[in-house]
Amino acid sequence: MPVDTRPGIRRPLGLLISPLIVLLCLAPVSAHAESTTSSSAETIANALRESPVYVDPVYSTVLSEETREEAVATIEESGLPVRVVLTPLLSGDDWDGDASALAAAVHDRMGGAGHYLVLEGDSFQGQDLPPSVDGSSELRAHYAALASSYATEFDGTVGERMERAVEFAVSDDPEAVYEEYVSAYEDSRVAAPGPPSGNADGATVWPWALGTGALLILLVGGYLLWTRRPTAPSMPQHAAFANASQARRESLERQAERELIEVGERLGAMEPATGTDASLSLGRALDAHDAARRVAEHLEEGSLADVVGVLVLLDLAEDGLAAAGRGRRWSGADRRRHCYANPLHGTGTTDTDWRQLGATRSVRVPLCGGCAKAVRARTRPAALQVEHEGRSVPYYEVPAEESVWAATGFGSLSDDLVERILRGERSGRR
């Protein structure tokens, strides 16, 4: 059959077919761009349709199957749409390490109402979806997650916190449970044992009372050890946290390395006239970059706080660079303020009065929106955790003489962080 080669036929067909080819080529690209987040959220959503508790394999070493099954049974017996998610959350992942973003993405695929308990770091975050227009939605997950931290005094295992969070979420009044545990926690922190009262005879009797009490404790303890049922050995509870924390740290280290080079190149490309305000600002920026480089040289022996410190110092260098670009002299008023509780939360902060639980005075510090909200609700914000004397604590609880980051709040409490680093005050690698 002869082929029609007339130009008048070929050109219209080509105009029709070309857009189709372009669309066919672009479609897979768009689908691929959304596939990662969609597939991750869809995987969790599909699992939650089968069971109200989703546990990523990385947490298999810190959560026993028995504990998971008990949580599933408790939720199913309640008939409430409570859902538990244990999966690693890291800065830069599909949800940028944000438990609320994960809950929202999963809920979009599940629909209806849902009370989500999502493990973030070493504690649970509660998200109740969808939020009501008038704000009167039942905040079961919100209060249950907070109460679980107070009930375990912020030191429980994953299994213990999950068990309490689920128990509270299906209770009649999670908010009342939360208020009860907050009150008990604050009372325990404020109360301190006083010295024994009495006369000289009482002082004589006191050692005998202590001895009798100790003997009773030993006898009762021995009886319980003799008669108690044998239990399974406790499971290692920090393995998954260590893996997630290590992955997060490595990601932040790579980010610090990239920014150290990029900011250095931008600083080297700027040549303002000597003696001008721009040159003075550039000098401040160079000092901040030099401080960041010095800390970065010792990251292998440092902690996560040191990695965060490098990023904060590089932000200070960029602030100075921006002032130099505008021909202005850089001052403390020009700098961005990082979230005091956790500098990784960014610089979108407002000065907030914060009185820690059990404290008698408050301090005014810059906090991000989430941390400011937590402080106003008299709950602990999601602080940057560091290792100190074998325990994981908020970085600001490390003694100031042992950590330049704690002493300055990563520069949010004072403007001399760069000067301290350049003087060699980096004793806080903990």
Side-chain angles (χ1 to χ4, degrees):
M1 182 176 181
V3 178
D4 191 339
T5 58
R6 289 172 294 173
I9 299 294
R10 289 202 309 268
R11 187 172 182 182
L13 285 174
L15 291 174
L16 287 171
I17 293 172
S18 297
L20 292 174
I21 295 174
V22 172
L23 288 173
L24 289 172
C25 291
L26 289 178
V29 175
S30 300
H32 178 72
E34 299 179 358
S35 62
T36 303
T37 301
S38 298
S39 61
S40 300
E42 192 65 44
T43 297
I44 297 175
N46 289 336
L48 290 174
R49 292 187 183 98
E50 299 296 326
S51 169
V53 178
Y54 172 80
V55 181
D56 187 276
V58 74
Y59 287 101
S60 61
T61 60
V62 298
L63 188 71
S64 67
E65 184 64 23
E66 180 183 2
T67 302
R68 190 192 72 81
E69 290 176 354
E70 288 178 356
V72 169
T74 300
I75 295 171
E76 291 180 343
E77 288 174 6
S78 73
L80 294 168
V82 174
R83 293 152 189 163
V84 182
V85 178
L86 278 73
T87 190
L89 289 175
L90 305 171
S91 177
D93 64 13
D94 294 340
W95 305 285
D96 199 25
D98 188 348
S100 60
L102 182 154
V106 172
H107 184 73
D108 285 344
R109 288 155 180 80
M110 298 197 71
H115 307 288
Y116 295 86
L117 296 166
V118 182
L119 187 67
E120 184 178 273
D122 59 356
S123 62
F124 281 91
Q125 303 296 320
Q127 190 80 359
D128 300 272
L129 298 168
S132 64
V133 176
D134 61 359
S136 61
S137 60
E138 202 175 21
L139 301 178
R140 287 186 170 275
H142 172 73
Y143 287 113
L146 293 174
S148 70
S149 293
Y150 284 99
T152 57
E153 297 187 345
F154 300 90
D155 196 32
T157 65
V158 175
E160 290 169 345
R161 294 196 185 198
M162 186 184 77
E163 182 180 12
R164 304 310 296 274
V166 169
E167 174 191 343
F168 300 152
V170 301
S171 66
D172 293 335
D173 192 346
E175 183 176 1
V177 173
Y178 158 71
E179 292 175 350
E180 176 186 347
Y181 277 101
V182 169
S183 178
Y185 181 85
E186 291 186 340
D187 289 345
S188 69
R189 294 289 170 176
V190 173
S197 60
N199 51 24
D201 290 337
T204 305
V205 173
W206 182 250
W208 289 98
L210 282 178
T212 303
L215 180 59
L216 286 173
I217 291 172
L218 288 173
L219 290 174
V220 173
Y223 173 77
L224 291 175
L225 287 173
W226 179 264
T227 59
R228 68 181 295 185
R229 293 170 53 192
T231 58
S234 59
M235 301 179 67
Q237 54 180 294
H238 298 298
F241 293 150
N243 292 341
S245 297
Q246 183 62 29
R248 184 189 192 197
R249 172 172 175 156
E250 290 173 356
S251 174
L252 291 173
E253 282 187 6
R254 290 192 295 270
Q255 178 184 343
E257 290 172 0
R258 289 195 306 269
E259 292 188 12
L260 197 63
I261 295 172
E262 293 171 2
V263 174
E265 290 175 347
R266 288 162 56 197
L267 288 169
M270 182 170 285
E271 298 180 358
T274 304
T276 62
D277 287 344
S279 67
L280 294 175
S281 295
L282 180 61
R284 295 292 300 275
L286 288 168
D287 286 344
H289 184 268
D290 185 30
R293 179 187 57 77
R294 295 189 188 192
V295 177
E297 288 175 351
H298 302 280
L299 285 185
E300 289 186 3
E301 63 205 60
S303 69
L304 176 61
D306 292 305
V307 184
V308 175
V310 172
L311 295 172
V312 169
L313 290 166
L314 288 174
D315 283 347
L316 293 177
E318 289 193 335
D319 290 343
L321 189 59
R326 293 191 297 267
R328 294 178 50 188
R329 177 177 296 189
W330 187 88
S331 67
D334 295 321
R335 57 169 293 189
R336 293 168 291 173
R337 295 281 177 176
H338 293 80
C339 176
Y340 171 76
N342 189 336
L344 294 176
H345 292 171
T347 56
T349 59
T350 54
D351 287 342
T352 307
D353 291 323
W354 180 9
R355 180 170 66 86
Q356 294 189 51
L357 298 176
T360 57
R361 66 182 186 87
S362 62
V363 60
R364 193 165 182 81
V365 293
L367 293 175
C368 68
C371 288
K373 182 178 179 181
V375 165
R376 287 192 291 269
R378 298 292 295 138
T379 63
R380 283 194 175 190
L384 178 68
Q385 299 288 313
V386 298
E387 291 297 319
H388 179 64
E389 296 183 349
R391 295 176 59 244
S392 179
V393 300
Y395 82 90
Y396 45 75
E397 291 186 2
V398 177
E401 62 273 13
E402 298 181 30
S403 169
V404 69
W405 315 121
T408 65
F410 283 94
S412 65
L413 300 179
S414 64
D415 292 328
D416 63 344
L417 174 61
V418 171
E419 289 76 8
R420 291 185 184 222
I421 298 295
L422 295 179
R423 290 198 301 265
E425 297 181 23
R426 295 199 309 280
S427 59
R429 300 195 201 112
R430 296 178 185 273

